[in-house]
Amino acid sequence: MSPKPVSPQRTRRALWLRDDDRPRKPRLSRERIVAAAVDLLDAEGVDGFSMRRLAARLQAGTMSLYEYVPSREDVLDLALDAALGEIELRQPTTAPWRDVLAEQATETRRVMLRHPWVPGLVGTRPLLGPASLARSERAYAALHRAGLAGPALVAAISALYSFVHGFVATESTWRTQLPDEADEADLRRQAEVFLAARADLYP
C-alpha cells in the first residue's frame, strides 16, 4: 500500500500556540525584523511582502531570518500584533463602556489607516498576540460591565469590530484611488451638481 500523500493545505499552527526557543544571533533581533516587516508592509502591502525583500531591507541573508522567525506567516503574525499594539488606550478601564469602546474604535481606525494592510490580515489569522489580546480583553470587559455575556457578548464585539474594520478597508481603498484631497473635493462638487440637477428624482 502506498503512503497517504500529505496535503499541501495542512492547517498551519499559529505562532502563538507553538514553543519557539530558537537561538538569537546578536546582529539581528526579532524586534528589528518585525519593525522592518511593518515598514515593508506599509510600502508594499501583503502581496508585495516576501522574506527575500525583508532580508534586503535588513541587509541580511534571507536564510538568516529563519534563525529568528520560522516562516513568512509568523512574521505577518508578529507584524500584525505590533501594529495593533500602536492602538493607544487612555480611558481608564472603569470609564463608561461607551467611552471605552468609542476610544478603542477611533484609535483602531487611526492605526489601520496608518497601516492599510492590517484590515486584510485581521480576518485571516487568530489574534492571539499580547497586544491583540490586551485590546480584546479591554473591549470584552467594557461590554461585560454593561451586562452582556456569553454569545450576546461575542456577537456584540464581532458586530462592532466588523463595522470598524469594514469601514476602514473601504476608506483606505478610496484613499488609494483619490489620494489628493483637492481631487476628492472636486469629485464631491461634481456629485452635488449631478444630484441637484436630478432633485426631482432623488429628493
Side-chain angles (χ1 to χ4, degrees):
M1 180 180 293
S2 60
K4 185 177 180 181
V6 177
S7 170
Q9 300 300 320
R10 184 164 55 89
T11 302
R12 181 183 71 92
R13 193 177 184 194
L15 170 77
W16 316 110
L17 301 178
R18 306 194 309 265
D19 290 330
D20 183 18
D21 296 324
R22 294 174 180 236
R24 305 287 183 255
K25 294 181 180 178
R27 194 173 68 81
L28 286 175
S29 68
R30 178 172 283 187
E31 291 71 23
R32 278 191 63 204
I33 291 171
V34 172
V38 170
D39 289 343
L40 180 57
L41 287 162
D42 287 346
E44 304 290 343
V46 176
D47 291 341
F49 180 88
S50 69
M51 295 296 273
R52 179 180 59 80
R53 289 183 177 181
L54 178 58
R57 226 167 229 271
L58 290 162
Q59 298 182 329
T62 302
M63 295 308 296
S64 67
L65 300 185
Y66 295 105
E67 295 293 328
Y68 300 85
V69 188
S71 72
R72 174 184 183 273
E73 291 302 310
D74 292 329
V75 176
L76 292 178
D77 283 341
L78 291 164
L80 177 59
D81 197 62
L84 295 178
E86 295 176 18
I87 297 172
E88 297 178 6
L89 304 174
R90 303 178 186 85
Q91 290 281 351
T93 55
T94 54
W97 67 268
R98 288 179 184 272
D99 295 345
V100 171
L101 294 180
E103 179 190 49
Q104 195 154 334
T106 301
E107 279 293 300
T108 298
R109 172 180 173 269
R110 179 184 64 79
V111 168
M112 287 186 168
L113 288 176
R114 181 191 300 163
H115 305 296
W117 48 274
V118 168
L121 278 187
V122 162
T124 66
R125 58 201 61 237
L127 301 179
L128 297 176
S132 303
L133 288 177
R135 282 145 187 80
S136 293
E137 175 66 18
R138 184 181 174 88
Y140 274 89
L143 281 180
H144 189 264
R145 290 200 311 274
L148 293 182
L153 174 58
V154 175
I157 291 291
S158 296
L160 174 64
Y161 282 97
S162 292
F163 170 78
V164 174
H165 299 166
F167 184 90
V168 175
T170 301
E171 188 176 6
S172 294
T173 301
W174 177 264
R175 289 188 175 191
T176 62
Q177 300 300 313
L178 283 172
D180 190 309
E181 292 183 5
D183 289 341
E184 181 176 358
D186 184 57
L187 177 59
R188 292 187 184 279
R189 284 192 295 269
Q190 293 180 45
E192 289 171 2
V193 171
F194 178 86
L195 292 173
R198 294 160 177 79
D200 55 330
L201 295 173
Y202 312 109

